[in-house]
Amino acid sequence: MSPAPPETLMSSAKRFGRDWNRWSEDKRLFLMLGMSPAEMVDLSAYWHLFAHEHQRPPKLASNGKPWLTWLMIGGRGAGKIRIE
């Protein structure tokens, strides 16, 4: 069996991230308790799957060109902390 193409893997990962956000805390805990330490490390490496839209970098600047500089200022509750 050959490995899945990268676009299929990313589609599955994005779906997992969306599902995770809809699951109850109990369901998330149940899943995490069944993971191996290596799976937990892998999961933490893909934090962008769980990020809110406002926590992701913008694709283009207001002039439609790629960003040269991006400054993120976050106050209390802005989701700045990521535990690794």
Side-chain angles (χ1 to χ4, degrees), residues 6-64:
E7 60 275 3
T8 301
L9 295 174
M10 275 312 296
S11 175
S12 296
K14 287 178 184 176
R15 189 175 322 109
F16 175 76
R18 284 191 305 267
D19 289 346
W20 178 271
N21 290 325
R22 290 193 305 252
W23 291 340
S24 68
E25 188 174 325
D26 289 341
K27 187 170 183 176
R28 293 180 199 171
L29 182 60
F30 177 79
L31 178 67
M32 291 172 64
L33 290 173
M35 290 181 168
S36 70
E39 289 170 327
M40 293 292 283
V41 168
D42 287 345
L43 188 61
S44 69
Y46 293 101
W47 70 270
H48 62 281
L49 296 175
F50 308 100
H52 299 281
E53 193 57 39
H54 68 275
Q55 294 172 315
R56 295 187 177 123
K59 294 184 184 355
L60 297 173
S62 59
N63 64 3

